């Protein structure tokens, strides 16, 4: 088998992979010794099928469609002269950073000094949700329906019900309506929506599509083709017997959460954070495997691509520094613990006395909080506190912890919501 060698191999050519590559080369990594590997036929990742607008407000201060946003970064990759290989899938990565890939050329191996994981995420399918009933045609994840309509030009049905109020489901409620289908309702298990507020307004309210909170699909009817779904009210996460109603439809779209694409990460032996399903990453966005970094949706599910690009740029810069210094940088760390009201944090740890850059600490809350404070503490010492007007689980929060404040600390820190 052929063995090539590169300084930096980036797995995934979506927004995260492209931003990481551009930043790494900008920070000094040799462009000719950097390689982006993408299994699809084009750079751009999931953005290629997101033809709606709303991308890039933070990064470019203008509203772009998904493909336009992706194209800006693809152009940066091309202008920087960074090599990329599409139609090439990474099959395996070892702890020693030997990357095995398959393409039309066959199977090859690449020895890298550093690797950036940027494989994105995938949707939770019906099997993972355990919806009872028959298995007819017409049950799709929202992203599959999006791909069918926006890329393949196939309309999957005429009358839809959507389960889950994640952003993809909300976007697809509008998309299906614009394409002439009837969307009767969106049902959400939780008492709050998991989508961005702007998507609820622009994709549901503007089109008169009702959102039923605390409701779920409890049954599917149809032998070969979907005929309809049974929906029940929910209390404390459990359907209430006797509240079932029948909704006729030929499409059920599932928008019930995204899971980091973590098979490669797991197989190479990186520790997985059970709170995110992505790898555990430190303040350099490095996993607990030396020289392996992660960013974008493979690390944790983001709501806005602008935040993906920002995080990926940091991972790229850190990987460039790692390649230049050749240090073993996974040692000597203190924990960042999610306390009251915090679902998870990124990163999960930081270097004791050796935090090199201010930390962009990202987290999600477990419930809806109004006028509450986020506080970061080391024992009794407050490292950071800020009052937040509103925090909801669907919106990622991002605060900056100053490196000088962290470098004096000798114990784990806890992030918590105080009301
Ligand atoms: C339907 C939908 C609507 C969205 N709407 C918005 C919006 O309105 N505004 C907004 O800002 N954001 C939106 N987002 C979020 C945004 O698109 C994502 O946050 C962003 O695309 C994540 O970038 P990524 O590079 O981490 O992942 P991806 O875009 O998923 O890219 C990952 C890439 O890795 C490749 N890959 C995976 N495994 C391998 C492998 N083994 N070998 C080689 N390549 C591999 C994949 O093919 C893919 O190209 C939306 C997302 C979705 C899914």
């Amino acid at each position: 088998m052929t063995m090539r060698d590169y300084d930096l191999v980036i797995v995934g050519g979506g927004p995260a992979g492209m931003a990481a590559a551009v930043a790494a080369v900008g920070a000094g990594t040799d462009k000719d010794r950097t390689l982006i590997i993408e299994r699809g036929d084009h750079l751009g990742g999931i953005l290629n099928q997101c033809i709606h607008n709303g991308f890039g407000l933070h990064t470019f201060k203008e509203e772009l469609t998904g493909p336009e946003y992706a194209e800006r970064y693809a152009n940066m990759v091309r202008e920087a002269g960074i090599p990329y290989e599409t139609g090439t899938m990474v099959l395996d990565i070892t702890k020693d950073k030997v990357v095995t890939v398959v393409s039309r050329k066959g199977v090859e191996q690449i020895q890298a000094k550093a690797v950036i994981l940027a494989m994105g995420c995938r949707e939770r399918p019906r099997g993972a949700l355990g919806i009872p009933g028959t298995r007819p045609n017409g049950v799709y994840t929202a992203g599959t329906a999006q791909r069918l309509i926006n890329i393949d030009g196939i309309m999957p049905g005429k009358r839809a019900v959507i389960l889950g109020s994640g952003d993809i489901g909300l976007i697809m409620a509008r998309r299906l309506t614009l394409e002439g289908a009837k969307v009767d309702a969106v049902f959400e298990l939780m008492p709050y929506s998991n989508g961005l507020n702007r998507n609820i307004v622009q994709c549901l309210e503007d089109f008169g599509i009702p959102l039923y909170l605390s409701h779920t699909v409890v049954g599917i009817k149809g032998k070969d083709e979907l005929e309809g779904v049974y929906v029940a009210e929910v209390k404390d996460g459990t359907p209430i017997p006797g509240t079932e109603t029948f909704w006729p439809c030929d499409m059920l779209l599932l928008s019930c959460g995204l899971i980091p694409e973590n098979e490669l990460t797991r197989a190479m032996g990186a520790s997985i954070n059970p709170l995110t399903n992505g790898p555990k990453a430190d303040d350099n966005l490095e996993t607990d495997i030396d020289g392996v970094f992660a960013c974008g949706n493979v690390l944790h599910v983001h709501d806005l691509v602008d935040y993906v690009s920002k995080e990926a740029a940091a991972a790229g810069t850190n990987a460039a520094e790692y390649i230049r210094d050749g240090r073993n940088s996974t040692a000597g760390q203190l924990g960042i613990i999610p306390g009251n009201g915090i679902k998870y944090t990124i990163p999960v740890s930081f270097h004791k006395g050796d935090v090199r850059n201010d930390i962009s600490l990202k987290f999600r809350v477990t419930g809806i909080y109004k006028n509450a404070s986020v506080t970061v503490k080391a024992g009794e010492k407050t490292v950071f506190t800020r009052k937040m007007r509103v925090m909801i689980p669907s919106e990622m929060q991002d605060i900056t912890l100053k490196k000088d404040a962290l470098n004096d600390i000798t114990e784990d820190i806890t992030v918590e919501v105080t009301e």
Side-chain angles (χ1 to χ4, degrees), residues 3 20 30 44 65 70 122 142 210 247 262 280 371 389 397 411:
M3 173 77 97
D30 183 347
T65 64
R122 62 166 183 265
W247 293 72
N262 60 21
K280 290 184 177 173
N371 297 318
R389 205 170 56 80
Q397 309 294 326
E411 58 190 311

Side-chain angles (χ1 to χ4, degrees), residues 165 186-193 211-215 233-234:
S165 60
V186 176
F187 297 104
E188 168 57 56
L189 177 77
M190 304 302 286
Y192 49 81
S193 167
L211 168 63
Y212 295 91
L213 300 174
S214 301
H215 280 72
E233 289 172 36
V234 170

Side-chain angles (χ1 to χ4, degrees), residues 47 219 253 274 330 333 362 401:
L47 291 187
L253 263 49
T330 52
Q333 303 203 13
K362 280 151 276 186
L401 301 183

